[in-house]
């Protein structure tokens, strides 16, 4: 009796959860499906769901016509580059805050987070003008610099959260044995912090990959990452649903898979360990 | 534990991050502040002159500013309410045992990883488009008149798109928090005769308070400067119906080349964000121990 009731309850919950899950996922599913249709089928009424002639021509055409790989590569360089650069600066900073905390450490951490509160639009014009004068507009280096700076507070906070869980005695012991600062960080701290650093790396690649305010405003044809490249499809002449879908699917798929793999770290990372 | 030697080392290792962030904050902000007192139009180089607070007067008395302020508040507030309420509901649902929970969880968090420009284009063209969109096809199938979302209800449509992107984040955080809830307390409460609503209000909600704080904080940071979704779907229109402060400043400075006016707007945006920030920082300062 009770068993049957539990099963019925389970069935109801399963149906409800799957329905909601599919509704939420639907725009992504629909985009992926459309990317395999011909342009005519993509706008057919009534829309076809699965029974259409599957084709890969949109994918080949997006690549051939618009240099998709250049933009894909820009996205890779900008997101990976800014994350690595950020780690390089943030690891030593997080080391000092986690292991040699002073009276002002808490304030410094809060201040760093507060720079995220600075609305990008408040500093857009000077950055735009400085970039213009230094020839950094539409350059990958310029975007790497900006994305490093805007994600730096998050990187520092995340590393700090992870480092704090490592017992300081181990680092101290290494210091007693005569390890210098550089050795202490490189050979003692980093190997122990590999999981935390990997999570930080993944999360920041995701954040940088999807960042759209700066990439849209500071890039044109040469350095445009996928965020800006996809936006160019909003012009009327670029409006082909099947091709738009193919380009979108290619832009989203890698980061979606990466995100799915790192969902647990995502919670810890983005909430700085405040939610467990 | 900290020796004088390691204190010095700490200052040294911290300095690159501090110097970079300080520079990133102060230099452009000082320039924006300076420009905001100038007549400065990129189309008329060489005509810059000091005009005092005139830019601020124009910006703050522009009806577009009030529209943008209202839109910003509606967007941030609307998305926060929808994602937190929806997130709690979804978290409660996903916390139940059912078949395929892992897969449903992946489906639900997926929109968070879709880049804003893609999500805006997909919603605009393939779902909300009154001619070719899926919603129009469904409406026609039901014998109804297709609804032109972005023309008839532009701001609500953008709130819907942004909510879709952020609901996964709220759900994920709230679900994680929910799973750390002590089950025995819930069972004890049930034994004592507390109904489902009582258990939700008196045990579950207080337990989720910290997670809700974090969701509010992180989302506010990102929602105050929503940009790509507006640029791609409506360009701030029709009229100023979907112009938020970020978009207004962008339009003024980079579309109308009015650097002075745009800078004044940028400073106003910074001040407004700081008011929100002080409030938020107080809230997390109380709720987080670092």
């Amino acid at each position: 009796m009770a068993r049957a009731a539990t099963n019925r309850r389970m069935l109801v919950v399963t149906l409800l959860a799957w329905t909601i899950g599919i509704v939420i996922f639907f725009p992504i599913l629909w985009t992926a499906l459309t990317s395999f249709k011909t342009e005519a089928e993509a706008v057919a009424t009534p829309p076809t769901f699965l029974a259409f002639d599957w084709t890969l021509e949109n994918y080949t055409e997006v690549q051939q016509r618009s240099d998709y790989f250049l933009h894909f590569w820009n996205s890779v360089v900008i997101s990976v580059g800014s994350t690595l650069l950020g780690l390089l600066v943030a690891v030593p900073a997080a080391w000092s805050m986690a292991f040699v905390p002073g009276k002002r450490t808490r304030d410094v951490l809060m201040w760093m987070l507060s720079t995220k509160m600075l609305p990008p639009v408040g500093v857009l014009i000077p950055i735009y003008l400085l970039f213009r004068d230094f020839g950094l507009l539409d350059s990958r280096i310029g975007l790497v610099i900006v994305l490093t700076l805007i994600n730096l507070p998050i990187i520092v906070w995340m590393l700090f959260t992870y480092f704090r869980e490592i017992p300081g005695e181990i680092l101290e012991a290494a210091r007693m044995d005569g390890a210098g600062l550089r050795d202490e960080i490189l050979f003692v701290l980093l190997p122990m912090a590999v999981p935390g650093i990997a999570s930080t790396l993944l999360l920041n690649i995701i954040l940088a990959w999807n960042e759209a305010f700066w990439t849209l405003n500071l890039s044109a044809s040469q350095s445009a990452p996928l965020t800006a490249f996809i936006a160019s499809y909003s012009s009327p002449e670029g409006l082909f649903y099947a091709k738009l879908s193919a380009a979108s699917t290619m832009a989203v798929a890698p980061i979606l898979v990466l995100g799915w793999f790192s969902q647990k770290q995502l919670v810890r990372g983005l909430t700085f360990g405040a939610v467990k | 534990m900290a020796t004088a030697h390691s204190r010095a080392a700490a200052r040294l290792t911290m300095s690159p991050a501090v110097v970079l962030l300080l520079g990133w904050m102060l230099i452009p902000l000082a320039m924006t502040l300076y420009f905001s007192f100038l007549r400065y139009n990129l189309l008329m180089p060489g005509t810059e002159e000091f005009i005092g607070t005139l830019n601020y007067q124009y910006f703050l008395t522009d009806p577009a500013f009030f529209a943008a302020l209202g839109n910003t508040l509606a967007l941030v507030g609307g998305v926060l309410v929808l994602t937190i309420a929806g997130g709690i509901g979804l978290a409660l649902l996903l916390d139940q045992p059912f078949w395929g929970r892992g897969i449903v969880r992946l489906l639900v968090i997926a929109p968070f990883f879709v880049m804003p420009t893609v999500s805006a284009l997909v919603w605009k063209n393939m779902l909300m488009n009154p001619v070719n969109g899926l919603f129009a096809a469904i409406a026609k199938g039901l014998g109804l008149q297709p609804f032109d979302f972005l023309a008839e209800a532009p701001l609500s449509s953008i709130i819907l798109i942004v909510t879709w992107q952020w609901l996964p984040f709220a759900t994920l955080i709230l679900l994680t928090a929910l799973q750390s809830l002590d089950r025995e307390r819930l069972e004890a409460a049930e034994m004592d005769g507390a109904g489902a609503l009582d258990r939700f209000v008196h045990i579950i909600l207080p337990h989720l308070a910290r997670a809700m704080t974090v969701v509010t904080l992180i989302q506010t940071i990102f929602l105050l400067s929503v940009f790509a979704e507006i640029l791609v779907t409506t360009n701030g229109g029709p009229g100023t119906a979907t112009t938020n402060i970020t978009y207004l400043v962008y339009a003024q400075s980079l579309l109308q080349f009015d650097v002075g006016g745009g800078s004044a707007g940028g400073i106003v945006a910074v001040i407004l964000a700081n008011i929100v920030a002080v409030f938020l920082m107080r809230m997390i300062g109380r709720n987080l121990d670092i």
Side-chain angles (χ1 to χ4, degrees):
Chain A
M1 239 310 266
R3 180 88 183 256
T6 321
N7 267 339
R8 198 164 332 118
R9 183 186 152 86
M10 183 113 143
L11 189 70
V12 172
V13 175
T14 305
L15 278 178
L16 186 65
W18 273 89
T19 310
I20 293 179
I22 289 171
V23 166
I24 290 177
F25 188 69
F26 193 78
I28 301 172
L29 179 68
W30 189 243
T31 309
L33 284 175
T34 307
S35 71
F36 295 109
K37 295 177 181 176
T38 60
E39 287 299 343
E41 254 167 325
V43 294
T45 7
T48 47
F49 196 66
L50 286 170
F52 55 85
D53 297 324
W54 293 64
T55 170
L56 282 173
E57 71 180 35
N58 299 309
Y59 286 90
T60 46
E61 213 162 313
V62 165
Q63 270 169 52
Q64 281 166 359
R65 274 213 284 181
S66 49
D67 212 353
Y68 169 84
F69 276 115
L70 171 74
H71 304 295
F72 180 84
W73 185 238
N74 285 342
S75 272
V76 173
V77 170
I78 292 163
S79 54
V80 175
S82 66
T83 303
L84 290 180
L85 202 60
L87 279 173
L88 196 69
V89 177
V91 166
W95 166 83
S96 73
M97 292 192 221
F99 299 113
V100 199
K103 268 181 249 129
R104 294 220 302 272
T105 301
R106 190 193 154 92
D107 296 333
V108 173
L109 269 170
M110 282 311 223
W111 165 71
M112 284 191 169
L113 190 62
S114 76
T115 62
K116 283 298 288 180
M117 295 285 189
L118 186 71
V121 77
V123 293
L124 170 65
I125 302 157
I127 297 293
Y128 185 86
L129 295 174
L130 285 173
F131 270 40
R132 188 194 60 185
D133 295 345
F134 285 103
L136 286 170
L137 277 183
D138 198 19
S139 78
R140 289 198 289 236
I141 296 176
L143 286 174
V144 167
I145 294 172
V146 166
L147 291 200
T148 302
L149 289 167
I150 62 165
N151 284 330
L152 190 57
I154 305 244
I155 301 187
V156 172
W157 262 84
M158 284 176 66
L159 289 176
F160 168 76
T161 316
Y162 287 112
F163 285 0
R164 222 175 26 153
E165 284 167 20
I166 294 171
E169 289 80 22
I170 301 179
L171 300 194
E172 226 170 310
R175 215 175 305 152
M176 297 291 196
D177 290 345
L181 180 62
R182 196 183 62 104
D183 290 346
E184 180 187 326
I185 293 182
L186 267 184
F187 300 116
V188 185
L189 173 63
L190 287 190
M192 281 192 292
V194 163
I197 291 178
S199 315
T200 311
L201 187 92
L202 280 180
L203 275 182
N204 277 280
I205 288 176
I206 296 171
L207 285 180
W209 186 275
N210 289 338
E211 201 287 328
F213 180 79
W214 291 105
T215 52
L216 281 169
N217 280 314
L218 297 179
S219 75
S221 56
Q222 275 316 299
S223 72
L226 290 167
T227 40
F229 166 68
I230 299 284
S232 69
Y233 274 82
S234 60
S235 62
E237 66 269 25
L239 246 177
F240 294 100
Y241 288 4
K243 279 175 208 64
L244 164 68
S245 298
S248 301
T249 307
M250 282 193 282
V252 169
I255 222 65
L256 182 61
V257 173
L258 205 60
W260 274 342
F261 273 116
S262 51
Q263 50 162 322
K264 285 232 171 60
Q265 292 86 321
L266 185 87
V267 177
R268 260 199 73 173
L270 282 180
T271 62
F272 312 119
V275 174
K276 295 198 176 79
Chain B
M1 154 188 165
T3 59
H5 175 71
S6 62
R7 283 252 168 70
R11 263 198 293 277
L12 189 73
T13 50
M14 209 155 70
S15 52
V18 171
V19 168
L20 281 176
L21 279 174
L22 209 57
W24 166 247
M25 201 174 79
L26 288 183
I27 296 170
L29 206 54
M31 285 171 76
T32 306
L33 194 62
Y34 171 64
F35 292 155
S36 71
F37 294 113
L38 296 184
R39 180 199 316 280
Y40 186 174
N41 193 305
L42 285 177
L43 293 182
M44 295 177 281
T47 62
E48 293 88 25
E49 57 172 329
F50 186 80
I51 54 167
T53 57
L54 211 54
N55 283 321
Y56 288 93
Q57 284 175 34
Y58 282 134
F59 188 83
L60 291 173
T61 54
D62 187 347
F65 167 68
F66 293 101
L69 187 62
N71 291 337
T72 306
L73 293 177
L75 184 64
V76 176
V79 174
L80 275 177
V81 168
L82 288 173
T83 51
I84 290 179
I88 291 175
L90 268 172
L92 287 173
L93 180 67
L94 295 183
D95 191 40
Q96 312 285 319
F98 63 89
W99 290 296
R101 194 156 72 151
I103 301 172
V104 172
R105 192 176 158 137
L106 291 185
L107 294 181
V108 168
I109 63 167
F112 188 64
F113 305 112
V114 176
M115 52 178 70
T117 45
V118 165
S119 119
L121 276 175
V122 165
W123 278 89
K124 178 190 181 187
N125 294 313
M126 291 165 56
L127 298 174
M128 290 176 166
N129 186 296
V131 182
N132 296 319
L134 193 66
F135 292 165
I138 294 171
K140 278 182 227 158
L142 296 171
L144 301 169
Q145 199 60 244
F147 185 71
D148 190 350
F149 288 87
L150 286 160
E152 304 280 338
L155 190 60
S156 308
S157 303
I158 288 180
I159 290 176
L160 177 66
I161 297 173
V162 179
T163 299
W164 178 75
Q165 285 176 271
W166 283 96
L167 182 61
F169 176 74
T171 305
L172 194 60
I173 306 290
L174 292 165
L175 177 61
T176 308
L178 196 57
Q179 285 172 342
S180 70
L181 178 64
D182 185 5
R183 299 287 136 173
E184 280 168 18
R185 276 188 64 201
L186 274 183
E187 278 162 28
E190 200 174 354
M191 296 283 198
D192 291 345
L197 188 67
D198 277 336
R199 273 174 284 152
F200 177 71
V201 173
H202 295 294
I203 300 180
I204 297 180
L205 266 190
H207 178 75
L208 291 180
R210 170 185 276 212
M212 282 155 68
T213 312
V214 172
V215 169
T216 308
L217 170 76
I218 305 275
Q219 288 197 166
T220 306
I221 292 178
F222 286 93
L223 295 176
L224 274 175
S225 42
V226 161
F227 174 74
E229 293 84 345
I230 296 173
L231 178 81
V232 169
T233 52
T234 62
N235 274 315
T240 53
T242 56
T243 299
N244 64 355
I245 301 269
T246 293
Y247 195 85
L248 182 66
V249 174
Y250 156 81
Q252 185 134 22
S253 38
L254 292 190
L255 298 183
Q256 294 163 29
F257 305 104
D258 177 7
V259 173
S263 297
I267 294 295
V268 171
V270 170
I271 291 169
L272 291 175
N274 271 293
I275 295 173
V276 178
V278 167
F279 174 70
L280 282 176
M281 291 305 224
R282 283 246 175 96
M283 199 160 82
I284 60 158
R286 228 182 304 128
N287 259 308
L288 298 185
D289 46 5
I290 51 165

